[in-house]
Amino acid sequence: MSETGADVDERVAEAWGRVEAGLSRILPDSLRQLNAQATAQEINAVEAALAIPLPRDFRASLRIHNGTDPGSSLPLPAPSPVPLTYLCDTNAIIEMTRMWRDNHHPEPEWDDPQVWAYLVERKMLWLNGPVRPIIGSPDAVVVGDMNGDVQWLLDFDPAPGGTPGQVVRVDVECASWDVLAPSWTQLLVRYAEDLELYAADPDSSKLKIDHLGPACEWGSTPADSWGMRPAWLQDVQPRSPYAT
């Protein structure tokens, strides 16, 4: 079977199994927030509503867990199983992506690699990996949210060196864009590895966990790289977007 067949489903199932095993050691109460599987009809409805095909591995993931459910906020919910308030279910993917796309207002003077290079150098924009910082990009699908402040996207129009469907963490308020993984499967594996490391040696893991679950800063731009351009912007001549 090719990589577009049953082996993809198997790898996703293995990755989710590792995530669940890690959570059972660290945050067992969070497991109740993992939703049951989505149906093929529900997944197809997402693609039809957003006019974009979802990566096979993300479809496979939805057939295992259709997002997560934080439940009621009163009393306080169980800790989240992910470094977000929730992963979107199929209905929330449609709703949140439409809201995201409503914020797309093309600005040729600003949506330019030269300007991004200028802003990164002056620590007004943080880019970690091959991602174009275009708010509301129609080539993205929202798959997770943290109180409306931080979102995870599937990015189908990556910067040079990126992979269509890569997973990006976006904090619009902080102007921070981070490529978490080149695919959904690799994101799950990365998260599983950090859960396993946390269980063995918390100080060595990239995860920070409190009573609410893993902190949303997981995967965000390292402080010591602020002001440094990512590889794909290295040879771009910076340009100020401000009138002189």
Side-chain angles (χ1 to χ4, degrees):
M1 184 70 68
S2 72
E3 287 192 353
T4 60
D7 55 334
V8 172
D9 297 352
E10 182 179 351
R11 285 197 297 273
V12 172
E14 289 176 352
W16 262 119
R18 289 178 63 184
V19 169
E20 291 173 33
L23 291 171
S24 69
R25 297 174 65 187
I26 299 167
L27 295 167
D29 288 344
S30 73
L31 291 169
R32 71 185 70 167
Q33 293 191 34
L34 297 174
N35 287 336
Q37 65 184 17
T39 66
Q41 292 78 9
E42 289 172 323
I43 300 170
N44 291 340
V46 173
E47 295 184 329
L50 302 180
I52 195 166
L54 298 171
R56 178 176 287 271
D57 64 342
F58 188 71
R59 288 181 61 98
S61 181
L62 289 172
R63 291 197 301 271
I64 296 172
H65 292 300
N66 187 14
T68 66
D69 182 0
S72 172
S73 60
L74 292 174
L76 289 177
S80 174
V82 292
L84 294 164
T85 305
Y86 61 89
L87 292 178
C88 298
D89 64 16
T90 47
N91 288 329
I93 290 172
I94 296 171
E95 178 184 0
M96 298 295 290
T97 300
R98 285 174 170 168
M99 291 174 61
W100 165 263
R101 292 177 179 178
D102 285 344
N103 291 316
H104 186 225
H105 305 290
E107 299 183 82
E109 282 298 307
W110 288 81
D111 296 338
D112 182 332
Q114 290 185 298
V115 172
W116 299 333
Y118 174 91
L119 296 175
V120 168
E121 287 185 349
R122 284 153 182 79
K123 299 184 179 181
M124 301 168 68
L125 173 67
W126 288 267
L127 296 181
N128 182 14
V131 56
R132 308 178 199 273
I134 300 176
I135 296 173
S137 167
D139 297 305
V141 171
V142 179
V143 297
D145 181 77
M146 181 68 181
N147 296 329
D149 298 319
V150 175
Q151 294 180 319
W152 284 4
L153 313 175
L154 299 181
D155 175 17
F156 296 97
D157 184 28
T163 303
Q166 65 187 8
V167 188
V168 176
R169 175 190 183 278
V170 178
D171 184 337
V172 172
E173 184 175 350
C174 293
S176 175
W177 299 68
D178 304 277
V179 178
L180 298 179
S183 71
W184 187 255
T185 303
Q186 288 166 283
L187 173 84
L188 291 175
V189 170
R190 177 183 178 185
Y191 186 49
E193 289 174 344
D194 276 340
L195 287 170
E196 292 162 356
L197 186 56
Y198 189 95
D201 182 8
D203 292 336
S204 298
S205 175
K206 300 295 184 183
L207 288 168
K208 304 298 180 186
I209 298 178
D210 60 21
H211 66 286
L212 296 177
C216 71
E217 286 78 13
W218 182 72
S220 61
T221 307
D224 59 5
S225 70
W226 292 352
M228 297 176 60
R229 291 195 247 167
W232 68 280
L233 279 180
Q234 286 297 318
D235 297 327
V236 173
Q237 180 65 38
R239 176 179 68 82
S240 171
Y242 302 106
T244 57

